[in-house]
Amino acid sequence: MKIYKSHEMKEFSNMKVGGSAKELIVIEEKSEIVEALKGRDKVFLIGNGTNTLLSDEFMDVSFISLKNLKKVEDLGDGLVRAEAGIDFDDFIEYMKENDYSGLENLAGIPGSLGGLVYMNGGAYGTEIFDCIEEVEIVDENHEIRTLKRDEIHFTYRKTEIQQKKWIVLSTTFKFQKGYDEARVEELKEKRGGNHPLDLPNLGSTFKNPEGHYSARLIIEAGMQGKRVGGAQISMVHPNFIVNHGDAKASDIKELIAEVKKEVKKHSGIDLEEEIIVVGE
Ligand SMILES: Cc1cc2nc3c(=O)[nH]c(=O)nc-3n(C[C@H](O)[C@H](O)[C@H](O)COP(=O)(O)OP(=O)(O)OC[C@H]3O[C@@H](n4cnc5c(N)ncnc54)[C@H](O)[C@@H]3O)c2cc1C
C-alpha cells in the first residue's frame, strides 16, 4: 500500500472542493486492507467521490482508496466477480464485451462499483442488488467475510453495509446473456440532457421523500437557480448542486440548509441528504 501524509483531497470529490486530510492510503493488494485498518479509528473509504462532499478545513481522517482493486473474473454460468475499485462505467463496458445483461439501467452512473453496492445505487427501476449473488466485505471486527445476498439487509438506497460501516472488497453478480446496447445508449443520451454534466456536481443532493420528488419540491419552494458563493441549485436539474469553479464546501452546506428550510416552510416536508459530508 502507499501512504500519502497531509494529502490534498479536492480531486477526490467530483464536486472538486475540499481541504487536506491527515493521510490517504492507496491499497494495492486486497490483503493489505486489514493492515491499513489496524490502529486507525477515523477512516473513510473513498470511491470515485461522486456522492461525497469534502469539507474545506483540514480533515483528521485516514482516507482509504481501493481504486487499484479492479479485477473482473468470469466464474461461468453467468456469474461474474468484480473488485470494488472498478469504475462502474468500465464494468458496463465489460458486460458489453461479454454480452451480459441486467444492469443496463444503471449505465452512466459515475461511481465505483463498491460505492454503488454500499448504498444499493440504482436508476430507472433497477437497483444494483437486483443482480447480486454475494458480497465480499471487511466487517466491523476487520474480518474478511463473504455474504450471500439474502444475508444482507437492503432497501431503497440503504444497506446493512452502510449501517455497520463494512467495506466492500468485491461483488459476485448473476447475469443473463443479451446486453442491451440500445438501452444503454438511450439512457446515456437522457442523462446528458437531464443532468448538468458540464460542471462539477454530486448527483442528487436529496433523497426523494416517499410519494414526492425532491426536484419538484425544490422548484415549488422557489429555490431553483439559488446561488451561494460559487455553488448553485442547477437550472438543468434542481436536485443537483453545481460548482461554478470557485465554490467552497461551506457555500454548498449553506445552500443545502437554505433549501431544506424553504422546502419545509413551503410543503412541510423534511428533505434528507443523499450526499455524504466528510468533516464538519
Ligand atoms: C452526475 C451524477 C449522476 C448520478 N446518478 C446516480 C443515479 O442515477 N443513481 C444513483 O444511485 N446514484 C447516482 N449518483 C451518485 C453516485 O454516483 C453513486 O451514489 C455512487 O454509488 C457513488 O459511488 P462512489 O464510488 O463515487 O462513492 P463515494 O462518493 O466515493 O462514496 C460514497 C459512499 O460510499 C462509500 N463507499 C465507497 N466505496 C466503498 C466500498 N468499496 N466499501 C464501502 N463503502 C464504500 C463511501 O465511504 C461513502 O460513504 C450520481 C452522481 C453523479 C455525480
Side-chain angles (χ1 to χ4, degrees), residues 12 14 44-53 66 84-86 105-106 108-124 157 161-162 165-169 191 195-197 201-204 240 274 276:
F12 283 78
N14 204 52
F44 187 86
L45 202 299
I46 186 87
N48 284 2
T50 62
N51 212 22
T52 302
L53 179 65
L66 304 181
I86 190 170
N105 280 349
L106 279 62
I109 300 181
S112 67
L113 185 65
L116 273 164
V117 173
Y118 167 86
M119 53 113 53
N120 189 20
Y124 303 106
R157 304 290 180 270
I161 299 169
Q162 264 169 329
K165 297 193 165 45
W166 293 340
I167 291 173
V168 177
L169 288 179
R191 279 179 182 274
H195 293 167
L197 301 181
N201 69 80
L202 296 175
S204 295
F240 280 50
E274 179 163 319
I276 291 145

Side-chain angles (χ1 to χ4, degrees), residues 15-250:
M15 194 55 112
K16 306 296 177 209
V17 303
S20 64
K22 181 178 165 194
E23 56 184 356
L24 169 70
I25 302 164
V26 180
I27 301 292
E28 305 289 338
E29 296 281 338
K30 204 169 73 177
S31 55
E32 295 170 351
I33 186 85
V34 175
E35 177 69 25
L37 291 170
K38 220 180 272 168
R40 291 186 166 93
D41 52 352
K42 287 190 206 150
V43 164
F44 187 86
L45 202 299
I46 186 87
N48 284 2
T50 62
N51 212 22
T52 302
L53 179 65
L54 303 175
S55 291
D56 301 314
E57 304 80 27
F58 173 77
M59 292 168 282
D60 184 22
V61 172
S62 302
F63 283 87
I64 296 185
S65 167
L66 304 181
K67 69 183 166 81
N68 291 336
L69 302 186
K70 45 188 177 193
K71 196 165 62 192
V72 183
E73 288 168 278
D74 194 321
L75 307 176
D77 258 352
L79 294 172
V80 174
R81 180 163 55 219
E83 289 185 329
I86 190 170
D87 274 354
F88 190 68
D89 266 352
D90 292 342
F91 190 57
I92 290 284
E93 202 50 38
Y94 172 90
M95 292 180 68
K96 177 180 172 181
E97 280 162 17
N98 293 277
D99 193 32
Y100 282 128
S101 177
L103 294 177
E104 288 90 335
N105 280 349
L106 279 62
I109 300 181
S112 67
L113 185 65
L116 273 164
V117 173
Y118 167 86
M119 53 113 53
N120 189 20
Y124 303 106
T126 303
E127 301 177 331
I128 199 151
F129 263 78
D130 291 349
C131 294
I132 286 180
E133 279 284 297
E134 53 187 38
V135 185
E136 183 187 22
I137 54 127
V138 186
D139 72 12
E140 58 275 39
N141 301 315
H142 300 174
E143 273 172 31
I144 297 181
R145 292 197 284 148
T146 299
L147 299 172
K148 298 266 177 228
R149 178 180 191 267
D150 60 13
E151 292 174 312
I152 304 172
H153 183 67
F154 61 91
T155 55
Y156 168 74
R157 304 290 180 270
K158 272 200 184 118
T159 68
E160 193 177 351
I161 299 169
Q162 264 169 329
Q163 282 163 358
K164 299 201 171 147
K165 297 193 165 45
W166 293 340
I167 291 173
V168 177
L169 288 179
S170 73
T171 304
T172 304
F173 296 93
K174 172 84 176 164
F175 294 136
Q176 305 300 316
K177 278 286 176 187
Y179 177 79
D180 189 346
E181 185 161 9
R183 179 70 176 152
V184 169
E185 292 312 313
E186 176 199 334
L187 291 179
K188 279 193 177 162
E189 201 166 313
K190 204 167 166 181
R191 279 179 182 274
N194 294 348
H195 293 167
L197 301 181
D198 54 329
L199 291 171
N201 69 80
L202 296 175
S204 295
T205 313
F206 302 101
K207 293 180 187 175
N208 286 325
E210 227 180 310
H212 296 274
Y213 286 106
S214 297
R216 175 127 312 274
L217 295 170
I218 292 167
I219 293 174
E220 285 168 1
M223 291 302 283
Q224 185 164 22
K226 172 82 187 169
R227 194 165 171 156
V228 175
Q232 187 184 25
I233 301 292
S234 167
M235 293 307 290
V236 180
H237 193 308
N239 200 16
F240 280 50
I241 293 178
V242 291
N243 174 4
H244 284 283
D246 55 351
K248 300 210 170 315
S250 55

